[in-house]
Amino acid sequence: MYIYDEALDMINPLEGYSSEAEQPELLMSLDELCGRQLPMRAEKRRLKSDQSEAMENLVHILISDRLLELSRYVWLDPASKMIRADRSTLEQNGYQLEIF
């Protein structure tokens, strides 16, 4: 239905076919070819990656929160190889200390 015109460096419909306005768009435009639209697979991978990253950030925040709470009561001293716990503050805040 189309023919390439070397002189004009264009693709035109063959004679006898309806005009371009009446025909559906069969060829991709330069914008469509060079556009930044990702294929569906890449979008799904990116979405999964974003969800995975969000979950990882959430876990990181939750672990950081727990460690911050623990650091209020417990100190590790690697030099003397001692673990110190503030039993009175733990009990005041509703915790129980169990050593086993």
Side-chain angles (χ1 to χ4, degrees), residues 38-89:
L38 298 174
M40 290 299 282
R41 287 184 193 161
E43 287 181 27
K44 287 181 182 177
R45 269 187 259 131
R46 189 184 75 217
L47 181 60
K48 285 182 182 180
S49 174
D50 290 347
Q51 290 173 342
S52 174
E53 187 176 324
M55 183 59 79
E56 192 172 314
N57 287 339
L58 177 62
V59 169
H60 178 73
I61 289 169
L62 292 173
I63 290 172
S64 296
D65 186 48
R66 293 289 179 139
L67 288 173
L68 184 61
E69 180 74 14
L70 183 62
S71 72
R72 294 172 57 193
Y73 310 109
V74 179
W75 298 271
L76 298 176
D77 186 2
S80 64
K81 299 207 181 243
M82 299 234 356
I83 299 174
R84 296 191 169 114
D86 185 353
R87 175 177 278 188
S88 61
T89 307

Side-chain angles (χ1 to χ4, degrees), residues 4 15 23 53:
Y4 177 69
E15 290 181 27
Q23 291 184 9
E53 187 176 324

Side-chain angles (χ1 to χ4, degrees), residues 19-35:
S19 69
E20 287 183 36
E22 296 173 7
Q23 291 184 9
E25 191 66 35
L26 297 177
L27 301 175
M28 293 177 72
S29 70
L30 190 56
D31 291 333
E32 290 173 319
L33 287 171
C34 298

